[in-house]
């Protein structure tokens, strides 16, 4: 089974090369991209079953002895996130195909979009299965290079402007990460994560703290935690709808994943949990207050994205195996639900010509299906029972309550307030966009005139046709969000096993055995 591990990265890169060769044949590009992501999904399922029933899989690329070579490492966490990511990437790809059919190459030019999309996928998968810090850095750079292209598709003024900000912030994060890698190598003589975890305890606590904080800052920028989350609400909404959806669902979670690895594997004895708790509370509150003040639905979702990253940092800061398991469940929930909401807003934009709740009205009569496709993931993200959002938040609060310190109680209260304000912001948008009638507009607009109007990217457009494949892709993702609730028992049990396993760090000897096996 170890032979399947490199295919998680190799297949998307090979697919990207093939799509470049057939740059003028849109049909071949689409088929290659779809087949590649389906194949990765199937491989991820097989690997998840194998590692959940046995031990993790490791492959030393090029046959170099551990720890000198590049090690690809697949445990339950990596396999689960690769599977979820491939499902999201496939759904968003189908959505983009429909958009391309309706609009031509204006928004998502096939010859550029498909190769960049597969390279993005390769970077995401590589980051999840990286066994050493430098390969994790390479994974980040692969996905960031592809994201630079995707976020500026269409070459409008607003996309170039926000894309430039995104690029600058990403480069700063990468420089910090690379500097941290160099310092860690200088301190412990290796970049292999298993070996770093063994040697880190030999360093003075002050040295560990400096290295620890450098990684937290580098990964925190990528995860969009407060106060380094300022770039996200302006960068994501201007991109084409499929790009925004996949960025919102996956890119910040790669940063969160890196934080999970560093906190549980690299620095298990260097405790900065109080700092993380403060960051988590600030991220939740500042993010959701930003969402409440917005009038444009993409920006509302972008701010809720920031705020809900705070829940993941909260679980990470609690520092127990139960909390880590709850965090993993919440990551899976948020990837699926946030992507679905952005796809639903993409449908709203096509139907109404805008995503500003100051302009959109009366959609319930003309688009009842879109109303349902937005409503279900919205109440899920807001944490209403019995949906997965409620399950994930309740598990986090329960883990915090078991610790029982005053700061944990404050965080629980902050999490509840954030959840209620999330529900308020999303339901206000749903009520105004779908239920408001024309005759109610003047009175309603007077009450919500304090909201921040959308930027220039949200200029009113004509209603556009919605191909069936776009609706089908969004509907499929809504079904997946419901499946997170229906199958919450086995999924949460898997996440609980992941949490327990992460507190049993892999040693270099174990890694050598897994590579040898």
């Amino acid at each position: 089974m170890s032979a399947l591990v490199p295919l998680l990265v190799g297949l998307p890169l090979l697919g990207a090369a093939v799509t470049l060769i057939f740059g003028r044949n849109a049909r071949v590009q689409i088929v290659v991209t779809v087949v590649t992501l389906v194949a990765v999904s199937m491989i991820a399922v097989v690997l998840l079953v194998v590692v959940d029933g046995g031990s993790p899989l490791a492959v030393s690329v090029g046959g170099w002895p551990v720890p000198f070579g590049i090690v690809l490492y697949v445990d339950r966490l990596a396999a689960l996130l690769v599977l979820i990511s491939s499902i999201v990437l496939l759904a968003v790809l189908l959505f983009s195909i429909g958009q391309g059919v309706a609009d031509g190459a204006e928004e998502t030019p096939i010859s550029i979009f498909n190769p960049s999309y597969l390279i993005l996928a390769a970077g995401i998968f590589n980051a999840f299965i990286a066994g050493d810090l430098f390969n994790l850095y390479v994974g980040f750079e692969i996905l960031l290079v592809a994201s630079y292209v995707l976020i500026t598709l269409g070459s409008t003024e607003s996309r170039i402007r926000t894309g430039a900000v995104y690029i600058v912030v990403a480069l700063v994060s990468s420089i910090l990460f690379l500097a941290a890698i160099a310092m860690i190598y200088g301190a412990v003589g290796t970049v292999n994560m298993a070996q770093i975890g063994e040697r880190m305890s030999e360093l003075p606590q002050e040295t560990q703290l400096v290295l620890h904080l450098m990684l937290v800052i580098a990964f925190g920028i990528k995860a969009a935690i407060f106060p380094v989350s300022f770039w996200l609400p302006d960068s994501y909404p201007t991109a084409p709808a499929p790009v925004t959806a996949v960025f919102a669902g996956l890119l910040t979670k790669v940063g969160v994943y890196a934080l999970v690895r560093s906190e549980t594997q690299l620095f298990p004895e260097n405790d900065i949990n109080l700092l993380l708790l403060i960051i988590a509370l600030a991220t939740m509150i500042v993010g959701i207050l930003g969402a409440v003040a917005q009038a444009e639905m993409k920006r509302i979702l972008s701010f809720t994205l920031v705020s809900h990253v705070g829940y993941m940092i909260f679980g990470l800061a609690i520092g127990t195996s139960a909390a880590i398991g709850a965090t993993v469940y919440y990551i899976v929930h948020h990837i699926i639900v946030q992507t679905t909401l952005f796809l639903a807003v993409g449908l709203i934009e096509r139907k109404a010509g805008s995503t500003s709740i100051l302009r959109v009205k009366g959609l319930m009569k003309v688009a009842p299906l879109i109303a349902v496709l937005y409503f279900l993931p919205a109440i899920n993200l807001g944490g209403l029972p019995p949906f997965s959002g409620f399950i994930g938040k309740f598990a986090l609060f329960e883990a915090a309550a078991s610790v029982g310190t005053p700061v944990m109680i404050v965080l629980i209260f902050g999490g509840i307030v954030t959840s209620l304000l999330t529900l308020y912001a999303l339901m206000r948008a749903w009520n105004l966009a779908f239920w408001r009638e024309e005759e109610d507009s003047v009175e309603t607009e007077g009450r919500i005139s304090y909201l921040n109007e959308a930027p220039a990217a949200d200029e009113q457009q004509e209603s556009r046709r919605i191909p069936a494949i776009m609706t089908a892709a969004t509907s499929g993702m809504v079904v997946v969000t419901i499946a997170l609730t229906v199958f919450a028992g086995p999924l949460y049990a898997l996440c609980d096993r992941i949490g327990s396993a992460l507190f049993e760090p892999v040693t270099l000897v174990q890694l050598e055995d897994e590579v040898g096996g």
Side-chain angles (χ1 to χ4, degrees), residues 120-368:
L120 179 80
I124 292 170
F125 299 149
N126 187 72
F128 286 147
I129 66 174
D132 62 81
L133 283 181
F134 190 77
N135 195 30
L136 178 61
Y137 170 79
V138 171
F140 275 125
E141 292 307 296
I142 293 172
L143 70 90
L144 287 174
V145 167
S147 67
Y148 299 157
V149 177
L150 294 171
I151 203 168
T152 55
L153 284 178
S155 300
T156 63
E157 180 183 350
S158 61
R159 290 176 186 173
I160 296 298
R161 184 181 64 253
T162 57
V165 174
Y166 174 81
I167 290 170
V168 170
V169 171
L171 287 176
V172 170
S173 172
S174 296
I175 291 170
L176 287 172
F177 186 18
L178 193 59
I181 292 173
M183 292 176 66
I184 289 172
Y185 183 79
V188 298
T190 183
V191 293
N192 182 277
M193 291 189 193
Q195 202 168 20
I196 292 172
E198 290 181 346
R199 296 182 179 180
M200 190 59 67
S201 59
E202 300 171 5
L203 299 178
Q205 282 294 317
E206 295 79 5
T207 304
Q208 292 188 47
L209 182 61
V210 171
L211 300 176
H212 197 171
L213 290 178
M214 286 194 69
L215 284 184
V216 168
I217 294 171
F219 296 150
I221 294 173
K222 298 180 186 300
I225 63 175
F226 182 83
V228 288
S229 57
F230 61 91
W231 58 271
L232 190 149
D234 288 330
S235 298
Y236 284 9
T238 58
V243 175
T244 303
V246 78
F247 278 24
L250 292 177
L251 293 199
T252 53
K253 309 314 178 301
V254 179
V256 173
Y257 167 83
L259 284 170
V260 171
R261 287 291 189 194
S262 63
E263 292 303 307
T264 58
Q265 191 168 348
L266 304 185
F267 301 98
E269 297 180 8
N270 189 252
D271 187 352
I272 60 167
N273 289 348
L274 179 58
L275 174 62
L276 291 178
L277 286 169
I278 294 170
I279 291 173
L281 181 61
T283 303
M284 286 191 287
I285 298 301
V286 173
I288 200 57
L289 291 179
V292 170
Q294 301 304 310
E296 203 272 326
M297 297 175 88
K298 288 182 181 178
R299 288 176 66 82
I300 292 172
L301 292 182
S302 295
F303 276 102
T304 62
L305 168 59
V306 171
S307 71
H308 284 248
V309 168
Y311 284 104
M312 303 167 207
I313 305 303
F314 177 26
L316 190 57
I318 296 171
T320 64
S321 61
I324 298 298
T327 301
V328 173
Y329 181 86
Y330 202 82
I331 291 172
V332 172
H333 148 81
H334 198 261
I335 289 174
I336 298 294
V337 173
Q338 194 78 43
T339 302
T340 307
L341 276 170
F342 270 101
L343 292 182
V345 169
L347 297 182
I348 293 172
E349 185 175 27
R350 296 188 67 85
K351 192 68 179 179
S354 174
T355 56
S356 171
I357 58 177
L358 299 178
R359 305 175 190 177
V360 180
K361 57 185 73 99
L363 284 182
M364 182 61 75
K365 289 182 179 179
V366 296

Side-chain angles (χ1 to χ4, degrees), residues 424-506:
Y424 166 73
L426 297 179
M427 288 299 97
R428 179 187 61 189
W430 187 77
N431 182 55
L432 293 175
F434 290 96
W435 285 110
R436 180 175 48 158
E437 300 293 345
E438 195 67 40
E439 56 270 20
D440 301 327
S441 296
V442 176
E443 180 185 353
T444 302
E445 288 174 11
R447 294 200 306 268
I448 60 176
S449 59
Y450 67 92
L451 296 177
N452 291 330
E453 178 58 292
D458 187 53
E459 296 174 355
Q460 187 75 26
Q461 301 176 0
E462 296 295 326
S463 177
R464 289 175 287 175
R465 181 173 68 90
I466 301 177
I469 191 172
M470 296 177 73
T471 306
T474 309
S475 301
M477 286 297 292
V478 171
V479 171
V480 176
T481 67
I482 296 172
L484 293 179
T485 302
V486 175
F487 299 102
L491 176 58
Y492 194 85
L494 172 62
C495 294
D496 201 40
R497 292 195 292 275
I498 291 172
S500 299
L502 287 175
F503 278 86
E504 300 172 0
V506 178

Side-chain angles (χ1 to χ4, degrees), residues 80-156:
L80 176 62
L81 291 182
V82 169
L83 174 59
I84 297 300
S85 300
S86 60
I87 292 172
V88 166
L89 287 163
L90 185 58
V92 174
L93 175 66
L94 296 178
F95 187 95
S96 71
I97 291 171
Q99 181 170 291
V101 169
D103 300 342
E106 181 179 350
E107 284 287 293
T108 52
I110 297 294
S111 60
I112 301 173
F113 180 79
N114 281 298
S116 301
Y117 197 74
L118 285 174
I119 292 171
L120 179 80
I124 292 170
F125 299 149
N126 187 72
F128 286 147
I129 66 174
D132 62 81
L133 283 181
F134 190 77
N135 195 30
L136 178 61
Y137 170 79
V138 171
F140 275 125
E141 292 307 296
I142 293 172
L143 70 90
L144 287 174
V145 167
S147 67
Y148 299 157
V149 177
L150 294 171
I151 203 168
T152 55
L153 284 178
S155 300
T156 63

